Each structure stands twice: as C-alpha cells, then as structure tokens.
Amino acid sequence: MPRPANVLHLGIKELRALLRDPAMMTLIVYAFTLSIYASATSVPEIPHRAAIAVVDEDRSPASERLLDALQAPYFLAPQRVAHEEMDAGMDAGRYTFTLDIPPGFQRDLLDGETVTLQLNVDATQISQAFTGAGHLQQIIHSEVAAFLDGPGATGEPAVQAVIRAAYNPNLIESWFGAVNDVINHVTMLSIILTGAALIREREHGTIEHLLVMPVTPFEIMLAKVWSMGLVVLVASTLALHLVVHRWLGVPLAGSFALFLLGTMLHLFATTSMGIFFGTVARSMPQLGLLIILTLIPLQMLSGGTTPRESMPAFIQDIMLVAPTTHFVMLSQGILFRGAGLSVVWPQFAALMAIGTLFFTFALSRLRKSLG
C-alpha cells in the first residue's frame, strides 16, 4: 500500500518543479486563455464586416431595396462601382463580394420574367466566402419576394417548416468551439505534463535520487498523477468560468460539480498515458513526437470535432477504448444539455475502467524502466 506522506511530498515536489519551468507555465496559461478565445472566435459563423461592391445598372427602387438590405454588422456599406472597378477591386483584394444588378431588373421582375444577378466571391477569404454567399442569396430572395408581394402581403408557402435549434438557439459556433477547446486542452496538457515530469527526472538526474529513497514506483506514479492532474483541473475550472462563461458569454447548463468529477476520471486515464509515454521516450523531443502521433487521432476521432455517427463503424468501435470519446460525450451532455448522473453514468463507468487499465499498464512499464 502507498504511504500517503510519501505521495503527498513527492507531489509537492512535482508542483515546485513545474513552477520553476517557465516554458510549461506559459503553455498552461496560454492554452487555457488566449488559445480558447482564438479557437472559438477565429472562424465566424456569419459574415462580419464583409466588404462588398455593387454595380447598379438599373437604379430602380427594387435595386435600391437590395442595397439598403446590406447592413452592418454583416457587411460594410456597399460601394457603388463601375464594371471595370469591380474587376480591379476583386483582383486587388478590396472586395470580398461584388454584386452586378443588370439593367431592367425591376421591369423584368414586375413582368414575371426570370432575372439573373451576378455575384462574385473572393474565395481566398474562405470563412467569409462560405457563409457570406449563402447569406447574400437569402437577402436577395427575401427582398425580391417582399418587393413583389407588396406591403401587407403574407406570401406564406403552402408548407412551412418551423425550425427550433435546441441548446444553442442562435447557432453560435463559438459556444461549441470554446467548450471543445477546453476538452482538448485537458487531454493534451495532462499527457504533456506527466510525461514531461518523468522526462525531467531523467534529464536532471533526480531519478537516481528517487531510486535510493524509501519510495516505491507506485508512490512515484501516484504523486505525478495527482499533482499534474490537479494543475490541469484547476486550470480548466478557471478557464470555464473566466474565459468560456464570462469572456465569451457561453451559458453552461448542467452541474459543474458533476463535470469536474468526470474531468477527474478522465485525468486519471490521460495522466497514466503521459506516464507511459514518459517511460518510452528518452528525451523531450521524442515525447513530443509520441504525443503528436497520439493526440491528433484522439481529438479528431473522439466526436468533439465531427459527430461519431458520421465515421465508419469500425472507427467508432475502436475509439470506445479511448478516454477522450467518453469525456467528450459526458462534457457535451452536462455542459450543453444539462444531463445528470442518470444520463452520463455509462461514460463515468467507462472512464473508470479505462483509467484503471491505463494506470496498471503504465505502472508496470514504470517499474521495468526504473529497474
């Protein structure tokens, strides 16, 4: 049985070593602050202050109605340009969108004829181009329909689908991105910190000191697991409260205590993975390569980036042995949908089983490497 005093003092030693490592401290602070904010807001879900130029060859009330609909904050004020200026502006990158309204636009609309507008999109601005083109099409269709129906006309179709977006009514992508980034960083840093703690012992020569002390590999491993897991747990808690909830304004629906309990079970598994990588690698560069090879599949295939249902069946089955799969499921269930323990208990049980397996395997490997 491990002696609690040994585990406590060894863990405190790990925390002091981490505080004296400026590179690791910088990584922790950045990962749970600016990285989360940048990841959540880097790709806008709607066009924002997109530059647009309009060639209005009709100069009619119908064309003016279209220009008036292009408003902030989605678009900058439309610039009226000539044909030659439209092409030159696109080539120079001054406009993301250019709209050409042909002559006779209003007349053809009132005559019931099909009218074609030319919309040019600068696809090098991929985030704006992808969402902005659809946004512009929706504006054009709605304004043309309102112009033709006239004031007071309903223009309702025979069948109308009423869409209700649950848990994220405004479909704000940053809500999902911010929480998913916290989940990814919990996994990444827990593996890095525990693996680096073991590598640090070997590089600094303190592993020999531990071998002659009255401590066991079990106590050494427990100390690294609880100390590095505690650092990640505190950092993720502060990130969710200060960055995700307050800074980004993401509402957190469920029990925060239940989420922290699930995070601790996940950290039990991932810190054990970090110990295993620390026994395999002989230097920090080797540890980094091992983490890259492991972390990218864990993040991409766990269901945090894309739904698991869209993956091949054998990939879904394989990823059930990964702790990140169950952590993503319980995190999204608790924080987004307000799920209770009666809903997420299978994920809790799976994390406990996976963590126990990883811990046992890593402990066996640590004993061999120390011996």
Side-chain angles (χ1 to χ4, degrees):
M1 292 295 294
R3 287 159 288 187
N6 288 350
V7 176
L8 175 63
H9 291 300
L10 287 173
I12 294 174
K13 176 188 74 69
E14 296 296 337
L15 294 176
R16 289 175 176 172
L18 179 62
L19 288 174
R20 292 193 295 267
D21 191 335
M24 284 296 178
M25 292 301 299
T26 302
L27 176 62
I28 294 170
V29 173
Y30 172 77
F32 285 106
T33 53
L34 294 179
S35 178
I36 295 173
Y37 181 83
S39 177
T41 60
S42 59
V43 180
E45 60 273 359
I46 57 176
H48 181 70
R49 294 179 57 82
I52 183 169
V54 179
V55 180
D56 187 1
E57 300 181 86
D58 193 43
R59 300 280 180 170
S60 63
S63 62
E64 292 293 335
R65 186 184 186 107
L66 288 182
L67 268 69
D68 292 339
L70 304 176
Q71 299 180 357
Y74 309 113
F75 301 96
L76 296 173
Q79 301 292 318
R80 295 178 181 270
V81 296
H83 265 292
E84 57 275 9
E85 295 175 293
M86 175 182 72
D87 295 334
M90 289 284 288
D91 293 339
R94 292 195 300 270
Y95 310 123
T96 305
F97 305 97
T98 57
L99 180 65
D100 186 2
I101 304 176
F105 170 65
Q106 177 173 304
R107 182 191 66 244
D108 294 342
L109 284 178
L110 295 175
D111 291 342
E113 299 182 10
T114 300
V115 182
T116 301
L117 303 182
Q118 180 181 352
L119 175 63
N120 299 316
V121 182
D122 180 5
T124 59
Q125 305 289 340
I126 187 63
S127 61
Q128 296 275 31
F130 183 74
T131 59
H135 203 69
L136 277 169
Q137 286 181 316
Q138 183 178 0
I139 290 175
I140 293 171
H141 291 162
S142 60
E143 292 300 322
V144 168
F147 175 78
L148 293 177
D149 291 340
T154 60
E156 293 183 356
V159 177
Q160 183 177 6
V162 178
I163 300 175
R164 176 179 174 267
Y167 315 118
N168 190 355
N170 295 323
L171 301 179
I172 301 176
E173 187 175 341
S174 61
W175 287 16
F176 174 82
V179 173
N180 189 58
D181 215 41
V182 172
I183 295 171
N184 288 337
H185 287 159
V186 167
T187 303
M188 176 186 71
L189 284 175
S190 59
I191 296 176
I192 290 176
L193 291 180
T194 47
L198 193 56
I199 296 293
R200 192 187 303 117
E201 300 274 17
R202 187 177 292 112
E203 290 181 343
H204 293 176
T206 55
I207 191 70
E208 288 80 5
H209 297 170
L210 291 177
L211 293 177
V212 297
M213 293 176 63
V215 295
T216 64
F218 190 23
E219 294 171 344
I220 295 174
M221 184 169 174
L222 276 181
K224 295 184 185 300
V225 165
W226 82 255
S227 58
M228 298 300 101
L230 178 64
V231 171
V232 177
L233 186 67
V234 172
S236 60
T237 301
L238 293 176
L240 280 174
H241 273 300
L242 300 180
V243 179
V244 177
H245 186 55
R246 293 182 179 272
W247 193 0
L248 293 171
V250 180
L252 303 178
S255 169
F256 197 74
L258 187 62
F259 170 74
L260 290 182
L261 179 60
T263 304
M264 286 189 286
L265 290 176
H266 178 64
L267 288 172
F268 176 52
T270 53
T271 52
S272 300
M273 292 175 61
I275 294 293
F276 171 74
F277 290 149
T279 60
V280 174
R282 288 293 177 264
S283 63
M284 290 297 289
Q286 289 185 6
L287 176 66
L289 291 175
L290 285 174
I291 291 175
I292 290 174
L293 291 174
T294 307
L295 195 62
I296 293 178
L298 286 178
Q299 293 182 351
M300 296 297 294
L301 302 177
S302 61
T305 305
T306 55
R308 296 186 66 249
E309 293 75 13
S310 63
M311 304 176 191
F314 75 96
I315 294 293
Q316 297 184 39
D317 296 337
I318 291 174
M319 289 305 295
L320 287 176
V321 301
T324 50
T325 300
H326 306 282
F327 186 50
V328 167
M329 293 170 65
L330 74 87
S331 298
Q332 294 181 353
I334 294 172
L335 297 178
F336 286 144
R337 296 186 289 272
L341 184 60
S342 60
V343 176
V344 297
W345 72 265
Q347 285 74 48
F348 277 63
L351 283 176
M352 177 61 75
I354 293 172
T356 302
L357 179 65
F358 283 6
F359 185 90
T360 304
F361 185 71
L363 178 59
S364 173
R365 176 72 188 185
L366 179 63
R367 282 172 173 161
K368 291 180 180 178
S369 65
L370 293 180

